[in-house]
Amino acid sequence: MVSMKVNRRRFVAGTAAASAALVAAPFVRSANAAGKLSVGFWDHWVPGANKATEALVKEWAEKNKVEVSMDFITSQGNKLLLTTAAESQAKSGHDVLAFSTWLPARYADQLVPMNDVMEPLIKENGKVNDTVEYLGKLNGKWLAVPATAGSQIKGPCSRIDLLKKHAGIDIQAMYPAGQAPKADAWNLDNFVKAAEACQKGGNPFGIGLGQTSDSVDSAGALFHAFGAQLVNAKGDIVVKNDQVRQVLDYYKKLMQFLPPDVPSWDDASNNKFLVSGQGTLIMNPPSAWAVAKRDAPQIAEQLWTHGFPVGPKGRYAPFLPFFWGVWNFSKNQSAAKSLITHLSQASSAEKMTNASQGYDIPSFEKLTTFKVWAEESPPKGTLYHYPNPHNHQTLSIAAAPAPHKIAEQIYTQAIQTQMVVRYAKGEAMDKTLDWAAKELEGFSRN
């Protein structure tokens, strides 16, 4: 009889006992298969979303006669990050673990290659976006499999009524539910004009410029829209280029029409700003909309998730994937890969996406048209364009295409937002670029 031990949010910080390795016989796919498997998932913020994952794991475990122990580990307080570090150091822990955006590359030497899982999945579900490949594949080796749970696009979410009232923009006509975007005029020039109009109308855009993920992701998309690289794919420091100067000038203009405290915003600030009724537009997955649906339904009825404005080098949207990886010290690697394959099937991905109210986005191109995005409401169709079903945008990550070790430091140290704030507050352009170059040189040495 299969034993399912689900221990929610179990965590012992900073110790090798973050989780105990379960020793099992080699996995054999047969009616007589047996063994144990320990899995550490990201603890989803959407109530009830974990239950879909639990049900899928139980389904696989019963079929394969494997005893599975599951932990849902919160990312609050960096507990998932600390768990990963503790297991890496102890070489003991979960067989399967959820890895956030940059971690597959950080732990590349300790992860089991996943080409034998990814290649059939890509053949079946279509290719993954370039950001997933950049983060999850190194030197031809897939380090981990992109997870459905937790993967998100941080595109614009706007107030339908306020954009129309203040800026004369009908965002539903530009991004109609069930249809391809009609957004050729949605460019960065018109974006800043709309920001100005909304600020003058008393409901400004709420785009953070702090040093946490939401702010960094938004800045990254704008830098990409200008083709502005700080470090190129070879690791060369190229920050002193015309494209970087252009995006800093643009941001300086945009910041005039944002709330004055955006340099101090964290990841909760933009959500609160929109749900409170103050703001017209933020950059976020549907978390603010979900909170509004619960706490401020009159606001939720006016929210529409849509695409990013196009810049000189294209239209980009921030994408943050989660991954499922298998440690090379796992005692049951075959079973671990089998479970990940099961969780990555289209039917499994759809169940997870439904349970998350459309928040989760599979990374495979054929899995962006689930019914949930067309049917979620209010208003109906509000999430239709969220998963980028028409490939309207290039999904990106801030600091790419720099080598991972440098890019992760650019991202976590929020170099792009710091540059924007320094220049917008009056620092000379050359001084801002010199500061950034010195920071990047330090990252390169490390």
Side-chain angles (χ1 to χ4, degrees), residues 157-225:
C157 178
S158 295
R159 283 279 298 269
I160 299 166
D161 53 348
L162 295 181
L163 259 186
K164 191 176 294 184
K165 175 183 177 181
H166 298 315
I169 294 173
D170 186 342
I171 200 64
Q172 289 175 298
M174 191 178 290
Y175 285 91
Q179 300 179 41
K182 302 173 182 178
D184 289 348
W186 186 232
N187 57 45
L188 287 176
D189 288 339
N190 289 331
F191 185 79
V192 78
K193 290 177 183 177
E196 180 179 10
C198 290
Q199 190 263 349
K200 289 180 178 178
N203 301 104
F205 288 8
I207 302 174
L209 277 163
Q211 297 185 32
T212 55
S213 178
D214 284 359
S215 296
V216 173
D217 295 325
S218 300
L222 267 173
F223 271 67
H224 283 304

Side-chain angles (χ1 to χ4, degrees), residues 97-238:
L97 189 63
F99 290 82
S100 57
T101 309
W102 297 99
L103 297 192
R106 186 190 298 184
Y107 295 105
D109 293 341
Q110 290 183 284
L111 293 174
V112 175
M114 301 297 282
N115 294 54
D116 54 340
V117 175
M118 280 298 294
E119 289 167 6
L121 288 175
I122 290 171
K123 185 175 182 180
E124 180 179 358
N125 297 328
K127 66 180 181 179
V128 296
N129 63 68
D130 290 344
T131 293
V132 168
E133 187 157 345
Y134 166 71
L135 293 167
K137 189 177 184 181
L138 190 62
N139 299 323
K141 181 179 77 172
W142 277 103
L143 307 172
V145 174
T148 298
S151 295
Q152 59 191 260
I153 292 175
K154 293 186 177 180
C157 178
S158 295
R159 283 279 298 269
I160 299 166
D161 53 348
L162 295 181
L163 259 186
K164 191 176 294 184
K165 175 183 177 181
H166 298 315
I169 294 173
D170 186 342
I171 200 64
Q172 289 175 298
M174 191 178 290
Y175 285 91
Q179 300 179 41
K182 302 173 182 178
D184 289 348
W186 186 232
N187 57 45
L188 287 176
D189 288 339
N190 289 331
F191 185 79
V192 78
K193 290 177 183 177
E196 180 179 10
C198 290
Q199 190 263 349
K200 289 180 178 178
N203 301 104
F205 288 8
I207 302 174
L209 277 163
Q211 297 185 32
T212 55
S213 178
D214 284 359
S215 296
V216 173
D217 295 325
S218 300
L222 267 173
F223 271 67
H224 283 304
F226 279 90
Q229 295 182 11
L230 308 188
V231 177
N232 64 23
K234 297 179 180 178
D236 301 323
I237 296 171
V238 295

Side-chain angles (χ1 to χ4, degrees), residues 157-366:
C157 178
S158 295
R159 283 279 298 269
I160 299 166
D161 53 348
L162 295 181
L163 259 186
K164 191 176 294 184
K165 175 183 177 181
H166 298 315
I169 294 173
D170 186 342
I171 200 64
Q172 289 175 298
M174 191 178 290
Y175 285 91
Q179 300 179 41
K182 302 173 182 178
D184 289 348
W186 186 232
N187 57 45
L188 287 176
D189 288 339
N190 289 331
F191 185 79
V192 78
K193 290 177 183 177
E196 180 179 10
C198 290
Q199 190 263 349
K200 289 180 178 178
N203 301 104
F205 288 8
I207 302 174
L209 277 163
Q211 297 185 32
T212 55
S213 178
D214 284 359
S215 296
V216 173
D217 295 325
S218 300
L222 267 173
F223 271 67
H224 283 304
F226 279 90
Q229 295 182 11
L230 308 188
V231 177
N232 64 23
K234 297 179 180 178
D236 301 323
I237 296 171
V238 295
V239 64
K240 296 179 180 182
N241 61 68
D242 290 343
Q243 291 76 24
V244 169
R245 290 182 173 89
Q246 289 166 10
V247 72
L248 291 179
D249 280 332
Y250 179 85
Y251 245 127
K252 187 172 186 176
K253 184 176 182 181
L254 177 63
M255 276 191 69
Q256 299 175 66
F257 311 121
L258 303 178
D261 62 342
V262 291
S264 65
W265 278 20
D266 61 20
D267 287 349
S269 302
N270 50 355
N271 293 48
K272 293 176 181 177
F273 188 69
L274 187 68
V275 176
S276 69
Q278 298 176 71
T280 295
L281 176 151
I282 65 169
M283 298 284 290
N284 224 296
S287 51
W289 167 80
V291 171
K293 187 165 66 167
R294 182 192 67 199
D295 298 341
Q298 74 282 3
I299 301 290
E301 291 169 1
Q302 293 294 334
L303 296 181
W304 202 254
T305 294
H306 56 90
F308 201 79
V310 65
K313 298 299 181 181
R315 194 186 305 271
Y316 290 82
F319 183 67
L320 267 72
F322 262 87
F323 294 88
W324 292 312
V326 179
W327 291 118
N328 59 15
F329 48 77
S330 164
K331 301 300 191 294
N332 211 348
Q333 295 177 17
S334 180
K337 287 186 174 185
S338 177
L339 175 58
I340 291 174
T341 298
H342 176 68
L343 295 175
S344 302
Q345 297 304 302
S347 58
S348 299
E350 186 164 17
K351 289 175 182 176
M352 292 180 181
T353 300
N354 291 345
S356 71
Q357 302 178 49
Y359 177 96
D360 295 332
I361 298 182
S363 297
F364 300 91
E365 63 178 346
K366 294 181 183 179

